[in-house]
Amino acid sequence: GGGFHGKSTVLQALQRGHLDHIPGDGRETVVSSSTTVKIRAEDGRSIIDVNISAFLNKLPGNKDTTHFRTADASGSTSQAAAIIEAIEAGATTLLMDEDTSATNLLVRDNRMRALIPEESEPITPLVERIRQLHDAWSVSTIMVVGGVADYLAVADHVIAMDHFSPRDVTNQARQLIEEVPKPPGILPPLTPRIPLQAGLAPNKIRARNERRIGYGSGEIELSAVEHILDRSHAATIGEALRVLHDDFINNKRNISQLLDALDAILDDEGVEVLSPRSFPTGDLIRPRRHEIAAALSRHRSLTVKAKPI
């Protein structure tokens, strides 16, 4: 749809669709699976040993992208890592907005392909992999686009927003398709990461707002984790990391297994098991595994060992 017609508003409603709604707030019929995760580019974040080779390869200097790490990610590497990290944590639906994505990760048009030879371009755009994410890993994607028509060719459904009203334009979109993007090869396997206790000692946990957790001697930047609601939510995520460190990380469990174990105890005992005191504090908000995983992955002192499936 065109600008200011409600595309991003719909996406924002979907990213909160796993929460209970207040009657009359306008979102009563917007319901999302709890495994729905919003993904965006995040310049400057740290990435710790994530296999982003599905999207980036042949980097200058032969830098390894199967265990990619950097303290200062670009837009494309950060978004590629966020996709893989979300799937690692169990996401089955990804939400993306063209406005907050790295364009060079989304698409690469024919003129750029003609100007820059393929052997000099390390990025495989998402449009060439997006069907594979579904077919190989059962991960669906809802993408908001206003200027990137390439995704019309890979979409199951195309919904146009017109003055905040949706219209199904799938048939019209089919008539505009000139070429279907082809994947460059099979998807590389997921590489489960096993967090180590080193560097994750909590010492002191604090959250001034929903964008930053003070954890141990450092801070975890959460500006791009749009699912976090407020300061209490952020603080509870910090407490969840503490419980992971104290009770579950044994240098053997991978991230998915750690989140499974934490979910089980939260289901059994409730969110107050995350209380930093010996009594309920009353201001804890149960975080999903996806917010906890996002914070863990952005902890700059995280160390992991990787074991391919």
Side-chain angles (χ1 to χ4, degrees):
F4 305 99
H5 280 254
K7 304 186 303 298
S8 296
T9 300
V10 170
L11 203 69
Q12 289 165 5
L14 289 172
Q15 77 184 50
R16 297 287 176 92
H18 64 282
L19 300 170
D20 291 336
H21 299 328
I22 298 171
D25 76 350
R27 298 177 301 163
E28 293 92 338
T29 58
V30 183
V31 179
S32 305
S33 164
S34 62
T35 57
T36 299
V37 178
K38 173 72 183 299
I39 300 295
R40 60 175 297 161
E42 186 180 355
D43 288 352
R45 64 157 287 193
S46 64
I47 298 172
I48 309 295
D49 288 340
V50 179
N51 185 351
I52 60 171
S53 61
F55 303 106
L56 287 102
N57 229 320
K58 301 176 293 186
L59 293 180
N62 295 318
K63 187 166 185 177
D64 183 16
T65 59
T66 61
H67 301 90
F68 184 80
R69 58 169 46 230
T70 179
D72 186 18
S74 67
S76 57
T77 56
S78 65
Q79 190 163 3
I83 292 170
I84 299 301
E85 289 165 350
I87 295 171
E88 174 185 42
T92 61
T93 304
L94 306 178
L95 306 178
M96 296 188 216
D97 192 330
E98 175 188 340
D99 287 349
T100 55
S101 294
T103 303
N104 59 341
L105 185 71
L106 294 186
V107 293
R108 185 167 177 245
D109 66 26
N110 289 332
R111 287 168 293 184
M112 287 304 297
R113 292 178 190 274
L115 180 65
I116 307 297
E118 188 167 330
E119 59 270 19
S120 298
E121 176 51 72
I123 300 177
T124 298
L126 175 62
V127 71
E128 295 178 7
R129 292 289 196 189
I130 199 165
R131 294 295 323 178
Q132 286 185 318
L133 295 182
H134 177 268
D135 297 340
W137 296 341
S138 299
V139 176
S140 299
T141 306
I142 298 175
M143 175 82 71
V144 164
V145 295
V148 182
D150 302 59
Y151 283 87
L152 300 180
V154 294
D156 292 305
H157 303 283
V158 181
I159 307 298
M161 296 300 297
D162 186 4
H163 291 86
F164 288 88
S165 295
R167 289 187 298 113
D168 189 329
V169 295
T170 305
N171 290 335
Q172 297 96 301
R174 294 273 185 270
Q175 297 172 15
L176 301 174
I177 296 172
E178 298 177 353
E179 183 180 0
V180 178
K182 293 180 174 57
I186 64 172
L187 272 173
L190 289 172
T191 306
R193 296 180 298 159
I194 299 172
L196 306 179
Q197 276 198 323
L200 291 179
N203 297 326
K204 183 178 181 182
I205 299 170
R206 58 206 177 280
R208 298 184 182 87
N209 53 42
E210 73 277 14
R211 300 185 182 279
R212 192 172 289 111
I213 300 173
Y215 187 92
S217 59
E219 290 190 334
I220 304 174
E221 176 62 46
L222 300 171
S223 296
V225 187
E226 298 183 16
H227 292 279
I228 298 178
L229 303 172
D230 57 22
R231 176 194 163 278
S232 293
H233 199 190
T236 312
I237 291 168
E239 299 300 339
L241 295 182
R242 172 184 58 80
V243 172
L244 284 180
H245 172 271
D246 292 349
D247 299 337
F248 294 108
I249 292 177
N250 59 2
N251 299 347
K252 296 180 181 179
R253 292 188 178 112
N254 64 42
I255 288 177
S256 179
Q257 293 167 337
L258 289 171
L259 296 171
D260 287 344
L262 183 60
D263 270 343
I265 194 172
L266 286 170
D267 288 342
D268 186 45
E269 301 185 35
V271 71
E272 292 299 341
V273 74
L274 302 180
S275 174
R277 299 177 178 84
S278 58
F279 53 87
T281 62
D283 62 349
L284 300 175
I285 296 176
R286 176 168 175 172
R288 295 184 306 162
R289 61 193 289 130
H290 302 290
E291 289 96 50
I292 299 168
L296 179 64
S297 290
R298 286 162 177 76
H299 193 315
R300 290 183 177 271
S301 296
L302 174 68
T303 56
V304 304
K305 60 180 180 179
K307 182 181 179 182
I309 291 178

